[in-house]
Amino acid sequence: MSKRWLFLSAAAVLIVVSLALVLLPGDKNDEEVKTEAGHAATASAANSPSATGTSAASASPSAHATGASEKPSATQPARPTATPSATKARQQAAGTASLAGRIRPGVTYRGVATFYDADGGGACLYDPGDDVLTGAMNTTDYESSKACGAYVLVHAAGGATVTVRITNECPGDCAPGQIDLSAQAFAKLASPSAGRIPITWNLVSPSTSDTISIRYKTGSSRYWCGIQAIGHRNPLARLEVLAGGTWRQLPRASYNYFLSESGSGCGGAIRLTDIYGEQLTVPALAVRPDVVQPTRLQFAKH
């Protein structure tokens, strides 16, 4: 056999072996291997919790938040929505807080008590009367007459207490927290010889059989009027008059009258609101200056 024939035979064997290796089952070409490697990497990332969280957060935070609020996941229960009554309660609490002035329900104040010869009259322009358990509030807590008519329970260090109605302002040397009591009220806390004692005090809503009265100020007419509410159980937050079918809130003077400078609403219906948000409507009353006109209305006890 010639050398040429041997060379050709060997080449043929090599070709057959190469073809067999390429066509063996289970082997894949380079493109298929790359494709599957990519799918495997993707699947691995998808099955990783940290990768999922990072991806969702970095891709679109706002979209992720919206989806969470609209459709909670199995691991995060849905947030309960507020019921109408709960929403209403929150709105009422917020309104109450804004209606109260410096003297607020549920707050204890500290100061000192002094006394003077009081007759129930004073800066609030209430008439002197038989009620001897009254007090003059310091200018800061008087708050331009917002304290007028408020009932406060005063506590002495020894445990004695007395409830007084604020009818006057104590200007000058009276510091925040101080109440200048009537002599009779002070005597229920300590001996008059003490002259000045430390106290704490808080707002109260007492039991009463009295109802609210309305008084137009001297000089009032349908062109200008001042209106005062007397005998309200709780501090008064607003006084409104009905004018042209609309309730109009009147500004309050430091002498405890609500003023309608233009006469708007004078002689019409009156709406009273206390610091707890309760509203009472007084039917139209004639403008009768300096005459106390009773109503059948009173705020609820708290």
Side-chain angles (χ1 to χ4, degrees):
M1 186 177 296
S2 65
K3 291 180 179 181
R4 183 179 180 183
W5 174 252
L6 289 173
F7 177 79
L8 292 174
S9 298
V13 171
L14 289 173
I15 292 171
V16 171
V17 172
S18 299
L19 289 172
L21 289 173
V22 170
L23 297 176
L24 279 176
D27 287 353
K28 298 181 181 178
N29 58 33
D30 291 342
E31 193 64 27
E32 289 174 329
V33 171
K34 290 179 181 178
T35 302
E36 287 200 2
H39 287 316
T42 303
S44 175
N47 291 330
S48 169
S50 60
T52 302
T54 303
S55 174
S58 61
S60 178
S62 59
H64 180 71
T66 302
S69 62
E70 291 177 355
K71 187 177 181 180
S73 64
T75 58
Q76 182 177 0
R79 295 178 182 177
T81 56
T83 61
S85 59
T87 303
K88 182 178 180 181
R90 285 196 296 272
Q91 290 174 345
Q92 184 177 359
T96 301
S98 64
L99 289 173
R102 286 182 56 86
I103 303 176
R104 295 172 176 264
V107 177
T108 297
Y109 301 85
R110 295 183 181 275
V112 297
T114 49
F115 66 92
Y116 73 112
D117 292 327
D119 60 4
C124 295
L125 293 191
Y126 297 135
D127 292 333
D130 298 331
D131 183 8
V132 295
L133 299 181
T134 61
M137 186 63 72
N138 66 85
T139 297
T140 300
D141 295 318
Y142 181 78
E143 200 176 1
S144 189
S145 82
K146 283 186 179 180
C148 287
Y151 288 87
V152 296
L153 177 61
V154 184
H155 302 256
T161 64
V162 64
T163 298
V164 298
R165 185 168 68 105
I166 303 303
T167 61
N168 201 359
E169 177 185 10
C170 180
D173 294 336
C174 279
Q178 183 173 349
I179 304 178
D180 203 18
L181 299 172
S182 65
Q184 295 88 339
F186 188 93
K188 290 183 176 294
L189 301 177
S191 169
S193 61
R196 180 185 182 95
I197 60 172
I199 58 168
T200 60
W201 54 274
N202 57 276
L203 182 70
V204 292
S205 177
S207 299
T208 179
S209 58
D210 294 340
T211 56
I212 298 172
S213 297
I214 299 295
R215 174 163 54 192
Y216 278 95
K217 195 176 185 309
T218 303
S220 293
S221 69
R222 63 190 182 95
Y223 302 106
W224 178 95
C225 66
I227 306 173
Q228 182 186 59
I230 306 169
H232 41 87
R233 185 201 311 263
N234 306 318
L236 199 60
R238 287 196 300 248
L239 186 149
E240 300 165 281
V241 292
L242 189 61
T246 302
W247 288 107
R248 177 190 172 196
Q249 183 176 343
L250 299 183
R252 189 177 196 169
S254 60
Y255 49 85
N256 196 33
Y257 272 87
F258 294 82
L259 307 180
S260 177
E261 299 286 357
S262 65
S264 179
C266 296
I270 299 169
R271 186 165 69 182
L272 308 173
T273 304
D274 70 4
I275 63 170
Y276 298 96
E278 183 180 0
Q279 293 184 325
L280 302 175
T281 301
V282 180
L285 297 172
V287 180
R288 301 171 61 193
D290 205 28
V291 174
V292 176
Q293 302 187 60
T295 74
R296 297 180 180 181
L297 305 173
Q298 184 57 272
F299 292 118
K301 186 178 185 297
H302 289 265

Short mmCIF file of all heavy atoms in Angstrom, two decimals, residues 23-55:
data_model
loop_
_atom_site.label_atom_id
_atom_site.label_comp_id
_atom_site.label_asym_id
_atom_site.label_seq_id
_atom_site.Cartn_x
_atom_site.Cartn_y
_atom_site.Cartn_z
N LEU A 23 -22.05 15.73 16.89
CA LEU A 23 -23.45 15.31 16.87
C LEU A 23 -23.86 14.51 18.10
O LEU A 23 -24.98 14.03 18.17
CB LEU A 23 -23.72 14.49 15.61
CG LEU A 23 -23.53 15.25 14.29
CD1 LEU A 23 -23.73 14.31 13.09
CD2 LEU A 23 -24.47 16.43 14.20
N LEU A 24 -22.97 14.38 19.08
CA LEU A 24 -23.35 13.63 20.28
C LEU A 24 -24.53 14.30 21.00
O LEU A 24 -24.56 15.51 21.15
CB LEU A 24 -22.16 13.58 21.24
CG LEU A 24 -21.09 12.50 20.94
CD1 LEU A 24 -19.94 12.66 21.92
CD2 LEU A 24 -21.68 11.11 21.02
N PRO A 25 -25.59 13.55 21.50
CA PRO A 25 -26.72 14.15 22.22
C PRO A 25 -26.26 14.77 23.53
O PRO A 25 -25.35 14.27 24.18
CB PRO A 25 -27.66 12.96 22.47
CG PRO A 25 -26.78 11.75 22.41
CD PRO A 25 -25.68 12.07 21.41
N GLY A 26 -26.95 15.87 23.92
CA GLY A 26 -26.63 16.57 25.18
C GLY A 26 -25.65 17.70 24.98
O GLY A 26 -25.53 18.55 25.83
N ASP A 27 -24.92 17.81 23.94
CA ASP A 27 -24.01 18.90 23.69
C ASP A 27 -24.75 20.04 23.04
O ASP A 27 -25.70 19.83 22.29
CB ASP A 27 -22.87 18.46 22.77
CG ASP A 27 -21.89 17.57 23.50
OD1 ASP A 27 -22.07 17.43 24.72
OD2 ASP A 27 -20.98 17.03 22.84
N LYS A 28 -24.33 21.28 23.33
CA LYS A 28 -25.02 22.45 22.81
C LYS A 28 -24.01 23.40 22.26
O LYS A 28 -22.87 23.46 22.72
CB LYS A 28 -25.82 23.12 23.92
CG LYS A 28 -26.90 22.20 24.48
CD LYS A 28 -27.69 22.87 25.55
CE LYS A 28 -28.75 21.92 26.10
NZ LYS A 28 -29.51 22.51 27.17
N ASN A 29 -24.42 24.20 21.31
CA ASN A 29 -23.50 25.15 20.73
C ASN A 29 -23.32 26.35 21.65
O ASN A 29 -24.02 26.51 22.65
CB ASN A 29 -23.95 25.59 19.33
CG ASN A 29 -25.34 26.21 19.36
OD1 ASN A 29 -25.68 26.84 20.34
ND2 ASN A 29 -26.09 26.00 18.29
N ASP A 30 -22.38 27.21 21.32
CA ASP A 30 -22.05 28.34 22.19
C ASP A 30 -23.21 29.29 22.39
O ASP A 30 -23.42 29.81 23.47
CB ASP A 30 -20.86 29.11 21.60
CG ASP A 30 -19.59 28.28 21.66
OD1 ASP A 30 -19.57 27.31 22.45
OD2 ASP A 30 -18.66 28.65 20.95
N GLU A 31 -24.05 29.51 21.37
CA GLU A 31 -25.14 30.47 21.48
C GLU A 31 -26.18 30.00 22.47
O GLU A 31 -26.72 30.75 23.27
CB GLU A 31 -25.76 30.69 20.09
CG GLU A 31 -26.70 31.88 20.01
CD GLU A 31 -25.95 33.17 20.26
OE1 GLU A 31 -24.74 33.22 19.98
OE2 GLU A 31 -26.58 34.10 20.77
N GLU A 32 -26.47 28.65 22.42
CA GLU A 32 -27.45 28.09 23.33
C GLU A 32 -26.95 28.17 24.77
O GLU A 32 -27.70 28.45 25.70
CB GLU A 32 -27.73 26.64 22.96
CG GLU A 32 -28.52 26.48 21.67
CD GLU A 32 -28.64 25.01 21.25
OE1 GLU A 32 -27.73 24.24 21.55
OE2 GLU A 32 -29.66 24.67 20.67
N VAL A 33 -25.66 27.93 24.98
CA VAL A 33 -25.10 27.98 26.32
C VAL A 33 -25.20 29.39 26.89
O VAL A 33 -25.58 29.61 28.03
CB VAL A 33 -23.64 27.50 26.30
CG1 VAL A 33 -23.00 27.75 27.66
CG2 VAL A 33 -23.59 26.02 25.96
N LYS A 34 -24.89 30.39 26.05
CA LYS A 34 -24.98 31.78 26.51
C LYS A 34 -26.41 32.14 26.86
O LYS A 34 -26.68 32.80 27.86
CB LYS A 34 -24.46 32.71 25.43
CG LYS A 34 -22.95 32.62 25.22
CD LYS A 34 -22.53 33.56 24.12
CE LYS A 34 -21.02 33.46 23.87
NZ LYS A 34 -20.59 34.32 22.76
N THR A 35 -27.37 31.72 26.05
CA THR A 35 -28.78 32.04 26.31
C THR A 35 -29.24 31.45 27.62
O THR A 35 -29.88 32.10 28.44
CB THR A 35 -29.66 31.53 25.16
OG1 THR A 35 -29.19 32.12 23.95
CG2 THR A 35 -31.11 31.88 25.38
N GLU A 36 -28.95 30.20 27.87
CA GLU A 36 -29.40 29.57 29.09
C GLU A 36 -28.70 30.15 30.31
O GLU A 36 -29.28 30.25 31.39
CB GLU A 36 -29.16 28.06 29.01
CG GLU A 36 -30.14 27.38 28.06
CD GLU A 36 -30.24 25.88 28.33
OE1 GLU A 36 -29.58 25.41 29.27
OE2 GLU A 36 -30.99 25.24 27.63
N ALA A 37 -27.44 30.52 30.13
CA ALA A 37 -26.74 31.15 31.24
C ALA A 37 -27.43 32.45 31.63
O ALA A 37 -27.57 32.78 32.81
CB ALA A 37 -25.29 31.42 30.86
N GLY A 38 -27.90 33.23 30.64
CA GLY A 38 -28.62 34.46 30.92
C GLY A 38 -29.92 34.21 31.64
O GLY A 38 -30.28 34.89 32.59
N HIS A 39 -30.71 33.19 31.19
CA HIS A 39 -31.96 32.85 31.88
C HIS A 39 -31.72 32.43 33.32
O HIS A 39 -32.47 32.76 34.22
CB HIS A 39 -32.67 31.72 31.12
CG HIS A 39 -33.28 32.16 29.83
ND1 HIS A 39 -33.98 33.32 29.71
CD2 HIS A 39 -33.27 31.58 28.59
CE1 HIS A 39 -34.40 33.47 28.45
NE2 HIS A 39 -33.96 32.42 27.75
N ALA A 40 -30.66 31.66 33.54
CA ALA A 40 -30.35 31.20 34.90
C ALA A 40 -30.03 32.37 35.81
O ALA A 40 -30.46 32.43 36.95
CB ALA A 40 -29.17 30.22 34.86
N ALA A 41 -29.27 33.33 35.31
CA ALA A 41 -28.94 34.50 36.13
C ALA A 41 -30.17 35.31 36.47
O ALA A 41 -30.35 35.78 37.58
CB ALA A 41 -27.92 35.38 35.39
N THR A 42 -31.08 35.45 35.48
CA THR A 42 -32.33 36.18 35.71
C THR A 42 -33.18 35.49 36.75
O THR A 42 -33.75 36.10 37.65
CB THR A 42 -33.10 36.33 34.39
OG1 THR A 42 -32.27 36.98 33.45
CG2 THR A 42 -34.39 37.14 34.60
N ALA A 43 -33.30 34.17 36.63
CA ALA A 43 -34.11 33.42 37.59
C ALA A 43 -33.52 33.52 38.99
O ALA A 43 -34.24 33.63 39.97
CB ALA A 43 -34.19 31.95 37.16
N SER A 44 -32.21 33.49 39.08
CA SER A 44 -31.58 33.59 40.39
C SER A 44 -31.86 34.93 41.04
O SER A 44 -32.17 35.02 42.23
CB SER A 44 -30.07 33.39 40.25
OG SER A 44 -29.42 33.59 41.48
N ALA A 45 -31.79 36.00 40.28
CA ALA A 45 -32.08 37.33 40.82
C ALA A 45 -33.52 37.46 41.25
O ALA A 45 -33.84 38.06 42.25
CB ALA A 45 -31.73 38.39 39.79
N ALA A 46 -34.45 36.87 40.46
CA ALA A 46 -35.87 36.96 40.77
C ALA A 46 -36.21 36.21 42.04
O ALA A 46 -37.14 36.56 42.74
CB ALA A 46 -36.69 36.41 39.60
N ASN A 47 -35.50 35.15 42.34
CA ASN A 47 -35.79 34.36 43.53
C ASN A 47 -35.12 34.90 44.78
O ASN A 47 -35.29 34.37 45.86
CB ASN A 47 -35.34 32.91 43.31
CG ASN A 47 -36.22 32.21 42.29
OD1 ASN A 47 -37.39 32.54 42.16
ND2 ASN A 47 -35.65 31.25 41.55
N SER A 48 -34.35 35.98 44.67
CA SER A 48 -33.66 36.56 45.82
C SER A 48 -34.48 37.69 46.41
O SER A 48 -34.75 38.68 45.75
CB SER A 48 -32.29 37.10 45.37
OG SER A 48 -31.72 37.87 46.39
N PRO A 49 -34.95 37.59 47.69
CA PRO A 49 -35.77 38.66 48.28
C PRO A 49 -35.07 40.00 48.28
O PRO A 49 -35.67 41.02 48.00
CB PRO A 49 -36.01 38.15 49.71
CG PRO A 49 -35.81 36.68 49.65
CD PRO A 49 -34.76 36.46 48.59
N SER A 50 -33.80 40.05 48.63
CA SER A 50 -33.11 41.33 48.69
C SER A 50 -33.01 41.95 47.31
O SER A 50 -33.17 43.15 47.15
CB SER A 50 -31.72 41.14 49.30
OG SER A 50 -30.95 40.24 48.51
N ALA A 51 -32.80 41.15 46.34
CA ALA A 51 -32.70 41.69 44.99
C ALA A 51 -34.04 42.23 44.53
O ALA A 51 -34.14 43.27 43.90
CB ALA A 51 -32.21 40.61 44.03
N THR A 52 -35.10 41.51 44.87
CA THR A 52 -36.44 41.98 44.48
C THR A 52 -36.74 43.32 45.13
O THR A 52 -37.21 44.25 44.48
CB THR A 52 -37.50 40.95 44.90
OG1 THR A 52 -37.17 39.71 44.28
CG2 THR A 52 -38.88 41.39 44.47
N GLY A 53 -36.49 43.42 46.45
CA GLY A 53 -36.76 44.67 47.13
C GLY A 53 -35.95 45.81 46.58
O GLY A 53 -36.45 46.90 46.35
N THR A 54 -34.68 45.58 46.34
CA THR A 54 -33.82 46.63 45.83
C THR A 54 -34.26 47.07 44.45
O THR A 54 -34.34 48.24 44.15
CB THR A 54 -32.37 46.13 45.77
OG1 THR A 54 -31.98 45.71 47.07
CG2 THR A 54 -31.44 47.21 45.27
N SER A 55 -34.62 46.10 43.66
CA SER A 55 -35.02 46.42 42.29
C SER A 55 -36.29 47.25 42.28
O SER A 55 -36.40 48.24 41.59
CB SER A 55 -35.22 45.12 41.49
OG SER A 55 -35.74 45.40 40.22
#
